[in-house]
Amino acid sequence: MELIKIVVIGAGQLGSRHLQGLAKLSGFKIQVVDSSEMSLTTAKQRFEEVSIAFKGEILFHKNITEIEKNIDVAIVATNSSVRRSVVEQLLSHSTVKNLILEKFLFTKLSEYNEVAELIERKNVKTWVNCPRRMVSFYNTLKQNLTHPFTFSVSGNAWGLGCNGIHFLDLFSFLSNSKNILINSTLLDNTIHESKRAGYIEFTGTIVGSFDKNSFSLTSFNAKPSGVIIEINSQIARYIIEEGATSKVRYALQENDWQWKEETFEIPFQSQLTNVVVEDILQTGDCKLTQYADSSAIHQVYLSNFISFLQTSKQDNSINECLIT
């Protein structure tokens, strides 16, 4: 029986976790690509830690030109600044049926339509890895929400640029809307260096809405702390803490606003990638956000950061924001 062909491009922190998820599958030929020998070595070690039951084949390459010509599922987990060129190289070299892209997608607005046109021309089904849509707790919460509701995220130095898109995607999912409006006038003036070399981060507050549901994302410029998510409607209040053991405190009108507390689980990426890939191969779809929907949210978010940079640096020629 011919092996199902999977490729992971980018073997860093996220790529290696995707690889650990794929180790749970059987009947696959996995190819891992990264120009860094160190990243490939780390990815191989992490794969071997969990691959006792793996039945298939795995190869490690330093160049896209070394992979198969026909790919069933490709995962691109590179940094954002090179992602567009990597997608172009991949689809120029191989015929890819299904594609999963990491976020933040791209650093320039022009790249979103360029990639959209490319995947449409090549007929590649494409999703963006915003996995909170796969969490059982958030699926149940969505069913129980009444509209309108407010959604707020706050914490210290949690990555408003790179991680904010995850919470916007969650809010889009919960509100069942793609019509996003954003205001970035409450951002702090200071632009911070990211923990990833060459990239930047922001602190302050972003506010906006999806239709009649409003949101705020706040990252204080202080020693990193956990993130608190608050969701409020006319008939319910939720205070959510994500972590090693995630928990929610909630009060419902029907229970006379008595507070209760429950714990819930947010799976690691290494527990999700196998589920996503199996869903795609068995049904042709998965719970991740489709490219067109995620791209629309990304572009509104990115355009606000670019406008902020143009204003703060007094340079209207700026057309890129290096968040990843």
Side-chain angles (χ1 to χ4, degrees):
M1 185 179 70
E2 186 177 1
L3 296 176
I4 297 168
K5 298 178 178 66
I6 308 286
V7 63
V8 178
I9 303 176
Q13 179 65 22
L14 268 171
S16 61
R17 300 308 181 189
H18 282 297
L19 193 57
Q20 286 185 318
L22 295 174
K24 297 178 173 66
L25 302 173
S26 294
F28 286 71
K29 181 176 183 178
I30 302 171
Q31 297 164 92
V32 185
V33 182
D34 199 298
S35 58
S36 166
E37 192 68 48
M38 184 180 298
S39 293
L40 289 176
T41 299
T42 300
K44 185 175 182 181
Q45 290 171 346
R46 287 181 174 174
F47 181 80
E48 290 174 347
E49 288 172 4
V50 297
S51 62
I52 297 174
F54 178 70
K55 295 178 181 178
E57 183 179 352
I58 183 165
L59 299 170
F60 294 86
H61 306 296
K62 296 188 75 172
N63 198 297
I64 288 176
T65 57
E66 300 174 66
I67 67 173
E68 299 267 349
K69 286 289 188 179
N70 293 294
I71 303 296
D72 293 292
V73 180
I75 300 171
V76 176
T78 63
N79 286 334
S80 58
S81 62
V82 299
R83 187 167 290 120
R84 176 190 56 81
S85 63
V86 167
V87 171
E88 289 176 345
Q89 291 174 54
L90 170 64
L91 299 187
S92 173
H93 178 269
S94 301
T95 298
V96 178
K97 294 179 182 177
N98 303 285
L99 178 62
I100 299 167
L101 300 176
E102 270 301 340
K103 42 71 16 218
F104 203 88
L105 277 170
F106 314 110
T107 60
K108 296 180 180 179
L109 290 170
S110 60
E111 295 177 319
Y112 290 84
N113 285 336
E114 289 168 359
V115 171
E117 291 170 0
L118 178 61
I119 61 177
E120 183 177 0
R121 187 168 70 250
K122 297 282 188 175
N123 195 29
V124 185
K125 289 183 178 180
T126 305
W127 298 265
V128 178
N129 189 40
C130 292
R132 280 178 176 80
R133 293 176 180 239
M134 299 177 65
V135 175
S136 296
F137 167 74
Y138 287 126
N139 278 270
T140 301
L141 179 61
K142 178 178 181 176
Q143 295 171 12
N144 295 331
L145 278 176
T146 58
H147 297 238
F149 63 91
T150 63
F151 177 97
S152 70
V153 179
S154 61
N156 296 348
W158 53 264
L160 185 60
C162 68
N163 292 320
I165 199 71
H166 275 300
F167 293 112
L168 290 181
D169 182 82
L170 174 60
F171 188 43
S172 173
F173 171 67
L174 294 176
S175 60
N176 203 31
S177 171
K178 305 165 191 174
N179 301 319
I180 183 172
L181 294 174
I182 288 180
N183 184 305
S184 57
T185 56
L186 298 177
L187 285 174
D188 294 340
N189 290 328
T190 304
I191 298 169
H192 308 275
E193 290 185 6
S194 169
K195 61 183 179 181
R196 294 180 177 86
Y199 291 88
I200 61 174
E201 257 307 339
F202 301 89
T203 52
T205 298
I206 296 276
V207 297
S209 64
F210 281 92
D211 291 328
K212 293 185 178 181
N213 300 311
S214 62
F215 70 83
S216 67
L217 308 178
T218 298
S219 180
F220 295 107
N221 184 15
K223 183 179 179 181
S225 70
V227 169
I228 301 293
I229 302 170
E230 295 188 43
I231 299 174
N232 294 301
S233 74
Q234 188 175 0
I235 64 169
R237 311 276 188 269
Y238 299 90
I239 302 174
I240 301 163
E241 295 180 58
E242 297 183 348
T245 301
S246 298
K247 60 184 179 181
V248 56
R249 294 183 66 240
Y250 63 96
L252 307 178
Q253 183 184 60
E254 65 183 34
N255 293 330
D256 201 27
W257 300 109
Q258 297 297 308
W259 286 95
K260 296 183 178 181
E261 183 173 306
E262 295 178 3
T263 60
F264 65 97
E265 181 183 0
I266 296 184
F268 295 115
Q269 187 61 60
S270 58
Q271 299 170 298
L272 294 172
T273 306
N274 54 307
V275 176
V276 171
V277 169
E278 286 185 315
D279 282 349
I280 288 172
L281 294 174
Q282 291 172 10
T283 70
D285 201 359
C286 66
K287 290 184 177 180
L288 296 180
T289 316
Q290 293 184 7
Y291 177 83
D293 295 337
S294 186
S295 174
I297 298 172
H298 269 79
Q299 288 180 73
V300 175
Y301 203 42
L302 180 61
S303 66
N304 272 263
F305 286 125
I306 291 175
S307 295
F308 177 81
L309 291 176
Q310 289 174 343
T311 300
S312 62
K313 295 179 180 293
Q314 296 185 328
D315 183 356
N316 288 332
S317 69
I318 293 173
N319 67 350
E320 182 174 34
C321 181
L322 289 169
I323 49 180
T324 191

